[in-house]
PDB file of all heavy atoms in Angstrom:
ATOM      1  N   ASN A  62      20.476  15.017  -2.468  1.00 98.00           N
ATOM      2  CA  ASN A  62      19.479  15.971  -2.975  1.00 98.00           C
ATOM      3  C   ASN A  62      18.544  16.415  -1.844  1.00 98.00           C
ATOM      4  O   ASN A  62      18.203  17.595  -1.736  1.00 98.00           O
ATOM      5  CB  ASN A  62      18.696  15.311  -4.119  1.00 98.00           C
ATOM      6  CG  ASN A  62      17.910  16.309  -4.949  1.00 98.00           C
ATOM      7  OD1 ASN A  62      17.940  17.512  -4.708  1.00 98.00           O
ATOM      8  ND2 ASN A  62      17.171  15.798  -5.929  1.00 98.00           N
ATOM      9  N   MET A  63      18.169  15.485  -0.973  1.00 98.00           N
ATOM     10  CA  MET A  63      17.299  15.837   0.157  1.00 98.00           C
ATOM     11  C   MET A  63      17.964  16.912   1.020  1.00 98.00           C
ATOM     12  O   MET A  63      17.324  17.882   1.442  1.00 98.00           O
ATOM     13  CB  MET A  63      16.995  14.602   1.009  1.00 98.00           C
ATOM     14  CG  MET A  63      16.034  13.618   0.344  1.00 98.00           C
ATOM     15  SD  MET A  63      15.929  12.063   1.239  1.00 98.00           S
ATOM     16  CE  MET A  63      15.122  12.564   2.761  1.00 98.00           C
ATOM     17  N   TYR A  64      19.259  16.732   1.306  1.00 98.00           N
ATOM     18  CA  TYR A  64      19.965  17.720   2.137  1.00 98.00           C
ATOM     19  C   TYR A  64      20.099  19.056   1.402  1.00 98.00           C
ATOM     20  O   TYR A  64      19.982  20.130   2.014  1.00 98.00           O
ATOM     21  CB  TYR A  64      21.332  17.180   2.575  1.00 98.00           C
ATOM     22  CG  TYR A  64      21.207  16.307   3.810  1.00 98.00           C
ATOM     23  CD1 TYR A  64      20.882  14.960   3.695  1.00 98.00           C
ATOM     24  CD2 TYR A  64      21.364  16.839   5.080  1.00 98.00           C
ATOM     25  CE1 TYR A  64      20.713  14.162   4.815  1.00 98.00           C
ATOM     26  CE2 TYR A  64      21.205  16.058   6.214  1.00 98.00           C
ATOM     27  CZ  TYR A  64      20.878  14.722   6.068  1.00 98.00           C
ATOM     28  OH  TYR A  64      20.701  13.944   7.194  1.00 98.00           O
ATOM     29  N   ALA A  65      20.336  18.986   0.096  1.00 98.00           N
ATOM     30  CA  ALA A  65      20.456  20.229  -0.682  1.00 98.00           C
ATOM     31  C   ALA A  65      19.130  20.995  -0.662  1.00 98.00           C
ATOM     32  O   ALA A  65      19.104  22.224  -0.512  1.00 98.00           O
ATOM     33  CB  ALA A  65      20.875  19.908  -2.117  1.00 98.00           C
ATOM     34  N   VAL A  66      18.016  20.257  -0.792  1.00 98.00           N
ATOM     35  CA  VAL A  66      16.700  20.911  -0.762  1.00 98.00           C
ATOM     36  C   VAL A  66      16.431  21.475   0.631  1.00 98.00           C
ATOM     37  O   VAL A  66      15.945  22.606   0.781  1.00 98.00           O
ATOM     38  CB  VAL A  66      15.596  19.912  -1.187  1.00 98.00           C
ATOM     39  CG1 VAL A  66      14.208  20.481  -0.921  1.00 98.00           C
ATOM     40  CG2 VAL A  66      15.752  19.544  -2.661  1.00 98.00           C
ATOM     41  N   ALA A  67      16.776  20.714   1.660  1.00 98.00           N
ATOM     42  CA  ALA A  67      16.540  21.160   3.038  1.00 98.00           C
ATOM     43  C   ALA A  67      17.282  22.463   3.320  1.00 98.00           C
ATOM     44  O   ALA A  67      16.701  23.422   3.862  1.00 98.00           O
ATOM     45  CB  ALA A  67      16.982  20.077   4.021  1.00 98.00           C
ATOM     46  N   THR A  68      18.540  22.534   2.935  1.00 98.00           N
ATOM     47  CA  THR A  68      19.317  23.743   3.226  1.00 98.00           C
ATOM     48  C   THR A  68      18.841  24.914   2.367  1.00 98.00           C
ATOM     49  O   THR A  68      18.814  26.058   2.820  1.00 98.00           O
ATOM     50  CB  THR A  68      20.828  23.511   3.037  1.00 98.00           C
ATOM     51  OG1 THR A  68      21.069  23.031   1.713  1.00 98.00           O
ATOM     52  CG2 THR A  68      21.352  22.488   4.023  1.00 98.00           C
ATOM     53  N   ARG A  69      18.410  24.606   1.139  1.00 98.00           N
ATOM     54  CA  ARG A  69      17.863  25.663   0.273  1.00 98.00           C
ATOM     55  C   ARG A  69      16.589  26.244   0.890  1.00 98.00           C
ATOM     56  O   ARG A  69      16.389  27.456   0.925  1.00 98.00           O
ATOM     57  CB  ARG A  69      17.590  25.078  -1.128  1.00 98.00           C
ATOM     58  CG  ARG A  69      16.814  25.952  -2.085  1.00 98.00           C
ATOM     59  CD  ARG A  69      17.383  27.343  -2.283  1.00 98.00           C
ATOM     60  NE  ARG A  69      18.789  27.349  -2.673  1.00 98.00           N
ATOM     61  CZ  ARG A  69      19.598  28.407  -2.593  1.00 98.00           C
ATOM     62  NH1 ARG A  69      19.153  29.562  -2.113  1.00 98.00           N
ATOM     63  NH2 ARG A  69      20.857  28.318  -2.972  1.00 98.00           N
ATOM     64  N   LEU A  70      15.750  25.385   1.424  1.00 98.00           N
ATOM     65  CA  LEU A  70      14.512  25.854   2.059  1.00 98.00           C
ATOM     66  C   LEU A  70      14.824  26.728   3.274  1.00 98.00           C
ATOM     67  O   LEU A  70      14.181  27.762   3.488  1.00 98.00           O
ATOM     68  CB  LEU A  70      13.638  24.666   2.490  1.00 98.00           C
ATOM     69  CG  LEU A  70      12.949  23.885   1.367  1.00 98.00           C
ATOM     70  CD1 LEU A  70      12.248  22.651   1.931  1.00 98.00           C
ATOM     71  CD2 LEU A  70      11.941  24.765   0.631  1.00 98.00           C
ATOM     72  N   ALA A  71      15.820  26.304   4.056  1.00 98.00           N
ATOM     73  CA  ALA A  71      16.197  27.100   5.231  1.00 98.00           C
ATOM     74  C   ALA A  71      16.686  28.482   4.796  1.00 98.00           C
ATOM     75  O   ALA A  71      16.342  29.502   5.414  1.00 98.00           O
ATOM     76  CB  ALA A  71      17.271  26.371   6.036  1.00 98.00           C
ATOM     77  N   LYS A  72      17.467  28.513   3.728  1.00 98.00           N
ATOM     78  CA  LYS A  72      17.954  29.814   3.222  1.00 98.00           C
ATOM     79  C   LYS A  72      16.793  30.646   2.701  1.00 98.00           C
ATOM     80  O   LYS A  72      16.661  31.832   3.036  1.00 98.00           O
ATOM     81  CB  LYS A  72      18.993  29.592   2.113  1.00 98.00           C
ATOM     82  CG  LYS A  72      20.335  29.115   2.645  1.00 98.00           C
ATOM     83  CD  LYS A  72      21.278  28.724   1.516  1.00 98.00           C
ATOM     84  CE  LYS A  72      22.495  28.012   2.101  1.00 98.00           C
ATOM     85  NZ  LYS A  72      23.157  27.112   1.140  1.00 98.00           N
TER      86      LYS A  72
END
Side-chain angles (χ1 to χ4, degrees):
N62 195 1
M63 288 170 68
Y64 276 85
V66 170
T68 56
R69 170 53 54 197
L70 288 174
K72 286 172 191 155

